[in-house]
Amino acid sequence: MAIVILLIVGLITASKKIEKQNKKMRAEIEKANPLPKEKQHLLAYGANLALYRTDSPRILPIDVDNETLREVLSSYWNVHNQDEAAETLEWLLTEGHRTRFDQLLMALKAGQSFIEEEVGKSQECYESAQEAMMKKLSFVKSDFEQVNTIAAWDFDRAVNVARWSYIVGYITEEQAWGYITRAADAGSHFFQSWKDYFISFAFGRAIAYEGDIYDIIWNGKELLDEKDSIWNEFNIKRSTVQESVTLDKV
């Protein structure tokens, strides 16, 4: 028993050390590549996936070489060039997984039950996601009531795919900010709070990706709970006209 306790303590200590190192690294790259607040606000809509990959959610550059990033775009997104990047980004912004899975989300919320042959592991993952958010983030049942879409799953990924596509040279920086702004505008329109945004992203991962959300829970905790997080600096609602004018001047 003592050995088990020591192992657990050791793992927790190591995890905290890695987290501290990651934050320090992000702070250094942010300092070297500063962005105006208006553009940081736009990137906030991609913070879930950015933190999952240990990237900074406040700047465009990331601490990954271009070849590795090209492999990510190729393997996970089937993106190899400008046309495929544009096609994928348009799909995420105009259709995405939400066009297929929002109806399933509503059915699951209504208490309908499905066999695995009908929806794969989506129902199991959806139930597991709710349990994880309630247990690890202290969410309550009422927190899920007004989230009727997995759109944040699409918008968050759109921000990051635009970011990566720019870094590897598939699209220009201007094009990247165009896609990112569209994702931010849509996120601002769809959601009332960052908590809703996180829940939507988590449900998307659970239902569309059929993924366990435990590996994104701590990113959600950081974004929602830490005072200096990007989500606690910026409101989910954007003043679109004002910020667009400001961006044009940057």
Side-chain angles (χ1 to χ4, degrees):
M1 180 63 73
I3 293 175
V4 172
I5 293 173
L6 286 172
L7 284 172
I8 293 173
V9 171
L11 287 171
I12 293 173
T13 302
S15 177
K16 288 183 176 180
K17 185 177 181 181
I18 292 172
E19 182 182 354
K20 187 176 181 180
Q21 289 173 341
N22 286 338
K23 286 184 177 180
K24 182 180 179 181
M25 184 174 65
R26 294 203 307 263
E28 289 174 351
I29 194 170
E30 287 166 6
K31 186 176 180 180
N33 301 274
L35 275 181
K37 293 297 184 181
E38 294 81 6
K39 287 189 173 182
Q40 290 186 41
H41 195 171
L42 296 175
L43 290 173
Y45 297 85
N48 284 303
L49 186 52
L51 287 183
Y52 172 74
R53 289 176 43 83
T54 69
D55 299 331
S56 168
R58 292 179 177 272
I59 55 173
L60 285 180
I62 61 177
D63 191 26
V64 175
D65 65 89
N66 283 11
E67 281 305 313
T68 299
L69 207 49
R70 285 194 185 94
E71 181 60 31
V72 169
L73 286 166
S74 172
S75 300
Y76 292 96
W77 291 95
N78 198 30
V79 168
H80 308 87
N81 53 50
Q82 179 181 0
D83 290 342
E84 290 173 350
E87 183 180 351
T88 297
L89 286 160
E90 286 296 334
W91 176 77
L92 284 167
L93 291 168
T94 61
E95 300 179 42
H97 279 142
R98 61 192 180 279
T99 58
R100 178 181 174 189
F101 291 101
D102 275 1
Q103 188 174 358
L104 176 57
L105 172 62
M106 295 301 293
L108 292 170
K109 287 184 64 177
Q112 293 184 34
S113 185
F114 300 87
I115 59 175
E116 188 170 324
E117 286 76 8
E118 293 176 308
V119 297
K121 295 186 180 297
S122 289
Q123 180 168 2
E124 177 187 336
C125 292
Y126 164 78
E127 293 169 351
S128 175
Q130 278 200 90
E131 181 181 347
M133 285 185 275
M134 292 174 71
K135 183 178 180 181
K136 300 297 184 180
L137 299 177
S138 301
F139 288 6
V140 295
K141 281 284 186 181
S142 60
D143 289 326
F144 307 119
E145 289 177 359
Q146 64 182 11
V147 180
N148 298 318
T149 178
I150 65 165
W153 171 246
D154 293 325
F155 302 152
D156 195 289
R157 292 182 300 156
V159 170
N160 287 280
V161 171
R163 182 185 190 185
W164 304 334
S165 296
Y166 158 65
I167 291 171
V168 301
Y170 293 157
I171 61 176
T172 66
E173 182 175 0
E174 182 181 2
Q175 289 172 324
W177 283 117
Y179 290 120
I180 292 168
T181 300
R182 287 170 61 189
D185 287 346
S188 177
H189 174 74
F190 269 72
F191 300 98
Q192 299 303 311
S193 70
W194 289 117
K195 178 182 281 190
D196 291 348
Y197 196 80
F198 179 79
I199 291 171
S200 175
F201 179 86
F203 279 161
R205 183 178 176 84
I207 296 172
Y209 185 70
E210 293 187 351
D212 190 323
I213 73 159
Y214 274 95
D215 54 355
I216 65 167
I217 281 288
W218 303 116
N219 300 332
K221 188 172 183 63
E222 176 180 337
L223 288 165
L224 292 166
D225 293 349
E226 294 191 6
K227 291 182 179 180
D228 61 348
S229 80
I230 194 168
W231 280 2
N232 280 319
E233 180 173 354
F234 300 109
N235 197 293
I236 185 73
K237 296 296 185 182
R238 294 181 62 240
S239 176
T240 307
V241 175
Q242 181 180 352
E243 293 199 5
S244 295
V245 171
T246 306
L247 283 169
D248 288 340
K249 296 179 179 179
V250 174

